[in-house]
Amino acid sequence: MTPMDPIRRLDLGYFVRPAVEVGGPEPRVEPVLAYLVKRPEGLLLFDTGIGSGDPETEAHYRPVRRPLPEALAAAGVAVSDIDLVVNCHLHFDHCGANPLLAGTPVVAQSAELAVARRGGYTFDELVDFPGVEYREVDGETEVWPGVRVLPTPGHSPGHQSLLVDRSGGRSVLLAGQAYDFASEYGQAVLARRAALEGAAAPLPGYPAWLDRVAEAQPRWVLFAHDQAVWEPAS
């Protein structure tokens, strides 16, 4: 049991980000995390793991996959138990097992789906496949009572996060890859605070969507490529 129950984090493997992308002397190993959300309406899955890439992509990132059915089984559920999928965005390391969920509605921002379908963005077979059923949304949308997607663009044009209300008024934000790391997210939150409190320039910028997240006051923020959890200072 964790403070985030009934939200369960799923380990779907990892990949090795090359040093040239890290900006340092060494590569970095990054986890690929998904989240299983249990609600009265059913089971929601936020992201589905790493898809199969072409040889060039495989050599570049050297992914190690944990199959989604195996990860779900460890949580006591099966692929067929999932009632709704939400992808933070449609890069291959976030929607890789979507084809296993054919017939299950997939929530995606229209802007994200449009860019994914232009080609050269992700692997086409992970976007449009037999039985795919998209639930396109434009902007903030409540997908189930107490569960809403929030647009958090930046990493991709249609990136979205998932805000989950919990009993006691303490919500959880599943931030996907809005930021790679909890520490980077925390820096942006602090930059916003400094700006609002009138700190002297220069100050770092922060995305406008942080204003909406601040309104929601999430108690915990979880990420797709970082096992750390951000929480506000008490």
Side-chain angles (χ1 to χ4, degrees):
M1 302 290 285
T2 75
M4 280 73 72
D5 284 337
I7 298 174
R8 178 155 179 167
R9 184 161 58 188
L10 303 179
D11 171 12
L12 296 182
Y14 60 86
F15 63 93
V16 183
R17 191 177 294 279
V20 66
E21 293 186 10
V22 173
E26 294 184 322
R28 182 173 65 220
V29 182
E30 297 187 12
V32 175
L33 306 171
Y35 295 89
L36 184 65
V37 182
K38 184 178 182 180
R39 302 291 290 188
E41 296 74 23
L43 289 174
L44 181 154
L45 183 61
F46 186 73
D47 282 353
T48 64
I50 314 172
S52 297
D54 56 31
E56 181 181 0
T57 302
E58 293 289 306
H60 187 76
Y61 288 114
R62 294 179 282 159
V64 173
R65 300 169 176 86
R66 184 188 187 195
L68 179 64
E70 175 185 314
L72 289 174
V77 302
V79 170
S80 59
D81 295 326
I82 303 301
D83 299 290
L84 187 66
V85 174
V86 178
N87 294 118
C88 66
H89 65 298
L90 295 175
H91 285 162
F92 89 116
D93 55 327
H94 295 265
C95 67
N98 279 22
L100 295 181
L101 292 139
T104 302
V106 177
V107 178
Q109 294 287 325
S110 295
E112 183 71 11
L113 195 53
V115 72
R117 283 173 165 163
R118 290 181 195 141
Y121 178 80
T122 189
F123 294 101
D124 294 344
E125 62 272 19
L126 300 178
V127 177
D128 287 307
F129 49 86
V132 66
E133 182 183 330
Y134 281 109
R135 180 175 167 187
E136 290 188 53
V137 297
D138 289 297
E140 182 173 336
T141 305
E142 187 173 59
V143 296
W144 281 347
V147 180
R148 58 181 56 241
V149 292
L150 303 181
T152 49
H155 177 73
S156 75
H159 191 284
Q160 61 186 359
S161 299
L162 192 73
L163 185 67
V164 181
D165 292 340
R166 298 177 69 249
S167 59
R170 292 187 164 187
S171 61
V172 175
L173 183 70
L174 305 181
Q177 203 173 348
Y179 279 92
D180 282 346
F181 304 110
S183 58
E184 292 179 341
Y185 176 85
Q187 290 167 10
V189 169
L190 195 55
R192 177 181 179 274
R193 175 183 171 186
L196 292 178
E197 293 180 353
L203 291 172
Y206 63 90
W209 53 257
L210 271 183
D211 293 336
R212 175 64 185 97
V213 173
E215 291 177 8
Q217 297 182 318
R219 185 65 182 83
W220 296 281
V221 182
L222 294 84
F223 302 87
H225 295 312
D226 189 358
Q227 294 175 342
V229 177
W230 181 89
E231 56 182 307
S234 57

